[in-house]
Amino acid sequence: MTEATVETSPTSSGVIAKPELPSNGKADVLILMRNLWKTYDMGAEKVHALHGVSFEVTRGDYLAITGPSGSGKSTLMNLIGCLDTPSQGEYWLNGKNVSEMDDDELARIRNQEVGFVFQTFNLLARATALHNVELPLIYGGIPGAKRHEMAKQALAEVDLADRMMHRPNELSGGQRQRVAIARALVNHPSILLADEPTGALDTSTSYDIMNLFEKLHEAGNTIILVTHEHDIAARAHRIISIRDGLIEKDERIR
Amino acid sequence: MSPRSDAKPEAAGDAFGKRISRPSRIRSFPVFRIAALWEAFLVAAASLRQNKLRTVLTLVGIIVGVTAVIAVVTIIKGLDQTVASTFSSQGSTVFTISKRPQVITSREDFIKFNKRKDVVREDAEAIFRSCTACWRTGIAANSFEIAKHGDQKFEGVRLRAVTPAAMFDIDGVTIDIGRIWTESESAAAREVCVVGPDVVTNLFPDVPLDRAIGQDIWTGGHKFTIIGILQPLGKIFGASRDNIIYIPYANFEKNFGAHNSLVVFIQTETAPQLEQAEDQARAVLRNRRGRTFRDEDDGFALETQDVFLNLYTSATANIYVVTIGVSAISLVVGGIVVMNIMLVSVTERTKEIGIRKAVGARRKDILTQFLIEAVTVTAIGGALGVLTGFAVAWLIALLIGFPLLFSAWSAVLGVSTSSIVGVISGLWPAWRAAKLDPIEALRSE
């Protein structure tokens, strides 16, 4: 990308008018992104991973974000998951302006509003399934007894009640991903954000996990799926395709 | 118009179709802060359990350091205690008056002290008459002699001439076998003596102690009859305190002449009276020497047994500081070991830190976890180090042969010092962990 692109970028977020939110009669907006830019300063050159992405997600939606590698898909996921902040633009998550938060505020939002599911599960290798699921509750400041109860319940919901004291290396890939899903959901987040959740799983296990997502969606959870696999994306209700840092296509399929 | 910021609508709370209200969170001060710290400790403890090799290595590093310091401190305290108890055998109720102080540090002083008037028997009598706070007064003169019996010879014997018999009490010695001389024997300057057990065992080898009573020994060219044997006092740093011959002072005057300045011993009945007695005795002697209040120098030396202790303390203080300092270096090395292992641990656990941050750990949480891990390991290492340090000191004391004091404060000091070492050496690694970028950290393998 060139310097010229920067000049065409919008002015600072403060100048932009506060987003018009849907009135009460319409669907409940959970995510609102306005003209998001993400620019990486690579020494002399500036690389724009996202240039001006805007979209909304209503509560209870089941969204897939697809795109080839290098499309800005991962950058967008990091922004949605509050692991990073945009260079420009506004991001409102569940009524909170996330785009201007500092590290610790973001950590709090991740703890309360976002449940992550990763391709490589990202469980603590030496901790039990139960302890892994408890992790978000620990940082949420929930007392021990209540925490155990919530974590056990979450594990039971993903059919792992009998594997609570197992460590990740004693579990199959599908079971590990279910532990990760239990961890993502235990704190009752606003969104469930899954990054290639089936990328490390075989086909039949992938279907099991996708069925679980479906069940979770039916239960009212908002799910955002980041994937480059079309058949996985096709399970969602809406697909956003990213290319070269822009939304190429935004279609509702269900 | 601002975006909606009302409470979470129902759907969000429905993880699995059931509405679960979000439990209240720990936030307020201070009881819940302690609870939060306890949580951080549990996280750290779990992490330490889950990485046993790393934990053990760190423990060893700190144990070695604390062991060295505790062993050295304990041995030094044991030695000090031995010296202190030995020199204070006369108790804190005794002071002495002599021409020269027991410790002279310069040639000028030595010349000055030599010009002083001798302390004589009349000085002691004057004090005895005028000093109301003084309880018992005695005089003593010393010389080193050779003792002989038949063809047996014992060199380096301390000949101590004393009067009255209360000087035995003041010296802190007691009769084991036989008796002390009577007042009439003393007044008549009889050739009788009370000896330390070393004298008997050297002059009468292979004979029971009590057989020495009534025997004659020669010392300083005069013959004395043994009438009593003292209880052994034992050794201090290898030197015996039992090679002594007590004779009546009057006899010393008769046979050896009163050419030496003597030492006046004064004892008060209770320790608080000591200062008053010292003032009175000083006034009496200054008066006898014609000193006015303008004269700075007394013209005699008034001392308590503290001078020995003070000398010992000042002579050994620097040695102790150096010894403790050198052993403390091993604790610093232990600290560096902890820091090194912590740094490796942070690098090794980058992924873990990323996961923790992704699920909501703040910088403070990560910092606290790593710091608590460091402090937990070093505190446990410190406690174990205190135990092994005591064990090492005990072994050394057993080999050299002196009693030991295991003090609680050195245990507390060991644990707290190692905890501080833990904080210091854990701080930088913990800070590095805390400021890791979650995206980068998650990406690492």
Side-chain angles (χ1 to χ4, degrees):
Chain A
M1 296 299 131
T2 60
E3 289 292 331
T5 345
V6 181
E7 283 156 26
T8 60
S9 67
T11 46
S12 72
S13 55
V15 179
I16 295 177
K18 283 276 164 64
E20 290 292 323
L21 287 155
S23 64
N24 288 339
K26 289 191 182 175
D28 184 5
V29 173
L30 183 63
I31 288 177
L32 192 145
M33 288 203 163
R34 270 292 171 88
N35 214 351
L36 279 197
W37 286 70
K38 185 65 191 179
T39 307
Y40 294 107
D41 205 341
M42 313 292 266
E45 201 185 0
K46 284 198 164 73
V47 177
H48 302 283
L50 292 178
H51 10 169
V53 171
S54 305
F55 65 92
E56 289 176 11
V57 179
T58 48
R59 204 179 291 279
D61 206 349
Y62 188 0
L63 168 71
I65 297 174
T66 65
S69 58
S71 60
K73 183 179 58 174
S74 298
T75 305
L76 183 59
M77 191 211 72
N78 288 339
L79 289 181
I80 296 171
C82 301
L83 286 165
D84 208 349
T85 48
S87 308
Q88 273 172 314
E90 279 188 48
Y91 171 27
W92 294 80
L93 171 61
N94 199 22
K96 296 172 189 109
N97 187 357
V98 175
S99 34
E100 282 163 6
M101 286 186 172
D102 66 22
D103 278 6
D104 284 352
E105 287 168 328
L106 285 178
R108 189 158 178 77
I109 292 288
R110 288 198 295 273
N111 185 252
Q112 317 262 300
E113 305 288 353
V114 186
F116 284 102
V117 177
F118 299 96
Q119 176 175 8
T120 52
F121 321 131
N122 282 346
L123 299 173
L124 297 186
R126 294 187 173 95
T128 60
L130 186 68
H131 185 82
N132 268 292
V133 176
E134 277 185 44
L135 212 53
L137 303 176
I138 291 174
Y139 296 118
I142 290 162
K146 180 76 189 161
R147 208 164 66 207
H148 285 308
E149 184 195 311
M150 289 172 76
K152 278 177 185 168
Q153 198 195 334
L155 278 166
E157 298 280 358
V158 295
D159 295 327
L160 283 176
D162 55 340
R163 294 283 190 277
M164 276 190 298
M165 300 319 281
H166 290 239
R167 287 168 214 288
N169 61 4
E170 297 160 346
L171 298 170
S172 72
Q175 286 171 331
R176 285 184 220 182
Q177 195 59 299
R178 279 190 278 152
V179 173
I181 292 170
R183 180 182 65 189
L185 289 168
V186 72
N187 223 3
H188 311 305
S190 309
I191 51 169
L192 183 62
L193 184 57
D195 179 22
E196 305 278 6
T198 58
L201 303 174
D202 62 48
T203 315
S204 83
T205 317
S206 292
Y207 279 115
D208 290 344
I209 294 297
M210 293 317 294
N211 289 339
L212 179 56
F213 277 127
E214 216 131 278
K215 190 181 131 200
L216 293 172
H217 173 244
E218 278 159 23
N221 289 284
T222 311
I223 299 176
I224 298 176
L225 203 62
V226 179
T227 182
H228 68 275
E229 289 175 67
H230 290 296
D231 53 335
I232 296 295
R235 301 282 296 258
H237 291 198
R238 175 188 172 193
I239 301 177
I240 290 180
S241 305
I242 304 279
R243 189 177 286 273
D244 296 333
L246 282 166
I247 294 182
E248 188 188 45
K249 205 161 62 179
D250 185 347
E251 54 184 342
R252 184 160 295 278
I253 54 175
R254 249 176 220 106
Chain B
M1 192 178 168
S2 75
R4 39 170 306 139
S5 56
D6 55 351
K8 211 174 263 286
E10 295 200 6
D14 281 2
F16 302 95
K18 287 181 216 113
R19 175 161 172 79
I20 304 158
S21 67
R22 215 178 263 206
S24 62
R25 277 152 219 287
I26 295 171
R27 212 161 297 140
S28 50
F29 189 84
V31 178
F32 295 120
R33 187 66 61 80
I34 290 163
L37 265 185
W38 175 244
E39 287 299 337
F41 172 77
L42 289 182
V43 169
S47 167
L48 289 174
R49 255 200 321 277
Q50 289 154 7
N51 297 279
K52 288 193 179 66
L53 180 65
R54 180 158 43 83
T55 306
V56 168
L57 282 176
T58 321
L59 274 178
V60 169
I62 211 75
I63 286 172
V64 170
V66 175
T67 299
V69 174
I70 291 293
V72 166
V73 169
T74 307
I75 289 167
I76 284 173
K77 278 181 70 75
L79 288 175
D80 271 354
Q81 182 61 29
T82 310
V83 171
S85 66
T86 305
F87 282 127
S88 64
S89 62
Q90 283 178 321
S92 53
T93 56
V94 177
F95 64 96
T96 62
I97 289 166
S98 49
K99 182 174 166 184
R100 288 181 289 263
Q102 281 156 323
V103 181
I104 301 171
T105 50
S106 76
R107 201 172 155 273
E108 287 72 28
D109 280 352
F110 184 76
I111 294 167
K112 187 178 94 185
F113 297 144
N114 265 354
K115 286 182 187 155
R116 286 170 169 177
K117 260 176 87 174
D118 281 349
V119 175
V120 294
R121 195 181 181 125
E122 286 72 27
D123 288 325
E125 281 162 1
I127 293 168
F128 187 67
R129 278 196 306 272
S130 314
C131 170
T132 54
C134 300
W135 177 41
R136 299 196 286 202
T137 309
I139 50 176
N142 294 309
S143 77
F144 280 91
E145 302 288 345
I146 299 167
K148 283 183 228 165
H149 174 80
D151 50 3
Q152 297 291 334
K153 220 165 98 176
F154 186 33
E155 291 183 32
V157 183
R158 207 164 124 225
L159 183 68
R160 186 164 170 83
V162 296
T163 195
M167 272 303 291
F168 287 101
D169 274 353
I170 295 171
D171 272 1
V173 294
T174 44
I175 287 284
D176 185 21
I177 302 161
R179 62 179 178 87
I180 300 173
W181 54 74
T182 61
E183 221 164 285
S184 59
E185 277 172 330
S186 174
R190 289 278 176 77
E191 276 80 12
V192 289
C193 67
V194 173
V195 297
D198 277 12
V199 176
V200 179
T201 50
N202 278 281
L203 295 182
F204 305 93
D206 313 319
V207 169
L209 278 180
D210 55 337
R211 297 285 296 274
I213 300 289
Q215 298 282 342
D216 291 340
I217 58 168
W218 286 82
T219 188
H222 299 275
K223 195 174 77 176
F224 294 91
T225 306
I226 299 175
I227 58 166
I229 300 166
L230 297 171
Q231 271 181 357
L233 287 173
K235 290 178 175 183
I236 171 165
F237 300 125
S240 174
R241 292 189 289 157
D242 296 321
N243 52 350
I244 192 162
I245 301 174
Y246 277 93
I247 60 168
Y249 185 80
N251 186 278
F252 185 81
E253 241 176 0
K254 184 177 91 183
N255 288 329
F256 298 81
H259 56 279
N260 271 333
S261 177
L262 49 79
V263 182
V264 181
F265 282 76
I266 297 137
Q267 189 175 31
T268 59
E269 206 159 3
T270 60
Q273 290 174 297
L274 190 70
E275 208 172 318
Q276 195 196 352
E278 282 179 357
D279 289 345
Q280 291 179 347
R282 180 177 277 122
V284 170
L285 285 206
R286 280 180 74 103
N287 193 34
R288 279 176 60 81
R289 277 159 180 68
R291 306 270 159 165
T292 65
F293 63 92
R294 273 191 292 274
D295 292 305
E296 229 172 78
D297 186 40
D298 284 336
F300 54 89
L302 191 153
E303 296 170 309
T304 60
Q305 290 300 315
D306 290 347
V307 287
F308 281 118
L309 271 183
N310 293 343
L311 177 71
Y312 171 82
T313 310
S314 63
T316 52
N318 287 337
I319 300 172
Y320 289 172
V321 167
V322 170
T323 318
I324 293 172
V326 168
S327 62
I329 290 174
S330 58
L331 194 57
V332 172
V333 172
I336 293 169
V337 169
V338 173
M339 188 186 287
N340 186 34
I341 293 173
M342 290 284 297
L343 281 173
V344 173
S345 155
V346 168
T347 311
E348 254 180 11
R349 291 157 73 189
T350 304
K351 183 94 173 183
E352 175 194 325
I353 295 159
I355 295 169
R356 289 181 185 276
K357 286 198 153 192
V359 301
R362 290 154 297 175
R363 286 184 178 202
K364 191 177 75 182
D365 296 315
I366 302 290
L367 188 79
T368 314
Q369 181 194 337
F370 276 82
L371 265 189
I372 287 182
E373 274 186 37
V375 173
T376 305
V377 173
T378 50
I380 293 171
L384 293 176
V386 167
L387 293 181
T388 52
F390 281 165
V392 168
W394 176 76
L395 264 179
I396 291 172
L398 209 65
L399 292 175
I400 300 177
F402 61 88
L404 273 188
L405 277 169
F406 298 116
S407 63
W409 77 260
S410 63
V412 171
L413 196 76
V415 176
S416 53
T417 307
S418 57
S419 304
I420 292 166
V421 167
V423 171
I424 292 170
S425 48
L427 206 56
W428 184 44
W431 173 242
R432 279 181 54 155
K435 68 182 175 78
L436 278 176
D437 174 35
I439 299 170
E440 296 284 327
L442 278 172
R443 208 174 284 153
S444 80
E445 273 315 316

